[in-house]
Structures are given as structure tokens and as C-alpha cells.
Amino acid sequence: MPQPQDKPELHPAAAYKRVMLKISGEALMGDQGFGLHPPTVQRIAREVKSVQEMGVEICMVIGGGNIFRGLSGSAQGMERTTADYMGMLATVMNALGMQSALEELGVFTRVISAIRMDEVAEPYIRRRAVRHLEKKRVCIFAAGTGNPYFTTDTAATLRANEMACEAIFMGKNGVDGVYDKDPKEHADAVRYDEISYDEVFAKRLKVMDASAIALARDNNLPLIVFPLDEPGGFRGILAGEGTYTKVHG
């Protein structure tokens, strides 16, 4: 367990004081195709720690697609509500894995679940979560919104608004921003430095699901899409460096 330490002061170069980091479950599985890849989890934990050391308050939401994806289960004949709850449980497993990696680095962390499971995570209470952030603890929000039919993109946007985050940082593997089409399939794909939420809607760009985009747009919450697999990328972008796309209202 991490030992008590002085709370870091906000780095003068940090663009935001409090942020939400959203990553997919697939980001944790490395190249093994399923589950958690410990070296990858540890690498991401080091990225988070480097930003926490800047004095930035960090919320996290991690998807569950490396273990189970509710929509895929539903497509294979499973009842949608049950499949979505299974996906929520997968996010809790990922959150616990990330918590372990962060605490090995000396970072105080809380896993906060939208579904009560008191033996392994705190229940979601907004004021308590805000207090954790004020004490410079990383808060990992798990189990989505606690409701079926909502993705972890929507959960991240909801929690970011509730926690008064100043931006959502969406870490992507192998992609350094938002493109007009899939850069992995089209060599002539064009990356946007900035784009509005309305343009994302109009051009049907696959950034987040529609509910998450609408919630971010309506609350003037910017979205930063950046490459998670670039060492130092998370910290660098908070300092105004690196390549990324900013989506705003």
C-alpha cells in the first residue's frame, strides 16, 4: 500500500486542474488478444502517476471489452440487459487491476462502483468522490452508470460532469486523434487538430457514442483524443505538447 505523502502542487504548465481519463478495456490487453497484460497495465499506471505528480486531479473510467462486451454478447443471442451487466462487472475487474498497479507505484487510489460491491469497491457517492479528488487520490469509476444500454463513454462523460472535470482525455492505441475516416484502412485519412461536437455528429465520426457526445456538448466539456501508446503522451498533452485532436462545443 502507498505511504502518506505531501500533496503535489499544480504544475504551472498543466492546462487543466482536474481531468477524466477514458481508456478502453482493449488498451489493457497489450498484444495478447484478451484479458489483462500486466506490463501494459503498469505502463499506463506510470503515465497516470506522471500526471498526478503535476498536481492534476485524475478520474478514470476503463471499458471492459478485453473481458466481455455487452453489445457483442447481445448480438450473439444473450438477453441485452444481462449482457450489459456482465460488461459492467468486467469494468470492475479492470479497475481493480489498475488500482493495484497504481498503488504499487505509491499512488493513492479509490475504485468507486455504480453497482454496490462493498467488499471490493466503494459505492458511488458524489461528495465522497469529490473529496477523494481534493485529497489527490485517483478515482477509478467502475460498472458504468449502473444501468444497461449505456456505454462506458457515456459513463465517463457523466462522471466527468458530476466531478466538475475540465476535460475528458480519451487515450487511443495506434491513433493520434480524430480522422475523417479510419486511418488504419485509408492512407489518405485526414486528422483534425480541432473539431466541434456538431461536426462530429454531422460527419458521423466514430469518436464516442451519440449520448456521450450530446452530454459533453451540452455541458461545454472538451474532449482530447490522444495516443495512449506514446510514452509520456498523457503528461505532454497536459503541458500543451504532442499530437492530439480537441473536440469542443
Side-chain angles (χ1 to χ4, degrees):
M1 293 291 291
Q3 298 300 312
Q5 56 189 19
D6 294 335
K7 292 187 289 186
E9 296 295 326
L10 185 66
H11 193 284
Y16 302 102
K17 178 183 178 183
R18 180 180 295 173
V19 300
M20 166 65 72
L21 174 62
K22 168 62 172 69
I23 61 178
S24 67
E26 288 87 346
L28 303 184
M29 65 186 185
D31 56 3
Q32 64 186 12
F34 181 81
L36 291 166
H37 183 237
T40 299
V41 177
Q42 292 159 7
R43 177 183 62 78
I44 295 173
R46 289 192 293 271
E47 294 282 326
V48 173
K49 180 182 180 181
S50 72
V51 171
Q52 195 254 3
E53 288 175 339
M54 296 175 73
V56 178
E57 297 169 1
I58 303 172
C59 302
M60 292 184 70
V61 167
I62 307 172
N66 57 319
I67 300 171
F68 187 87
R69 184 180 294 279
L71 196 57
S72 297
S74 177
Q76 295 176 23
M78 185 176 292
E79 194 271 326
R80 174 64 187 271
T81 300
T82 298
D84 279 355
Y85 277 120
M86 291 174 67
M88 291 179 216
L89 296 178
T91 71
V92 177
M93 295 173 68
N94 284 337
L96 292 173
M98 181 59 65
Q99 178 184 46
S100 177
L102 285 167
E103 290 187 341
E104 286 180 5
L105 297 174
V107 178
F108 286 90
T109 310
R110 294 292 185 273
V111 172
I112 301 171
S113 174
I115 299 174
R116 290 195 72 103
M117 45 186 77
D118 297 345
E119 289 78 10
V120 298
E122 290 186 7
Y124 175 67
I125 300 172
R126 190 186 67 84
R127 287 179 179 273
R128 181 186 294 177
V130 169
R131 185 60 178 149
H132 287 321
L133 291 172
E134 292 171 347
K135 291 182 177 180
K136 305 303 180 184
R137 297 165 180 161
V138 173
C139 288
I140 307 176
F141 296 99
T145 66
N147 301 288
Y149 294 94
F150 289 93
T151 68
T152 50
D153 285 348
T154 300
T157 309
L158 174 64
R159 297 295 184 236
N161 279 300
E162 290 180 300
M163 295 298 105
C165 292
E166 298 171 354
I168 301 174
F169 279 70
M170 179 170 283
K172 298 282 191 178
N173 279 345
V175 181
D176 58 358
V178 177
Y179 286 75
D180 62 346
K181 47 192 168 186
D182 190 343
K184 297 177 182 178
E185 298 180 1
H186 302 276
D188 60 343
V190 177
R191 186 183 63 80
Y192 299 99
D193 288 328
E194 290 192 28
I195 190 170
S196 72
Y197 283 114
D198 286 338
E199 288 178 287
V200 169
F201 267 129
K203 297 178 180 180
R204 299 180 179 273
L205 301 179
K206 295 180 179 179
V207 181
M208 295 192 296
D209 68 78
S211 297
I213 292 171
L215 186 59
R217 180 194 62 188
D218 294 348
N219 290 278
N220 297 314
L221 183 64
L223 171 69
I224 310 295
V225 182
F226 72 102
L228 185 66
D229 49 359
E230 181 178 313
F234 187 22
R235 180 185 176 97
I237 289 168
L238 271 161
E241 304 168 354
T243 302
Y244 59 90
T245 297
K246 181 176 182 179
V247 188
H248 53 82

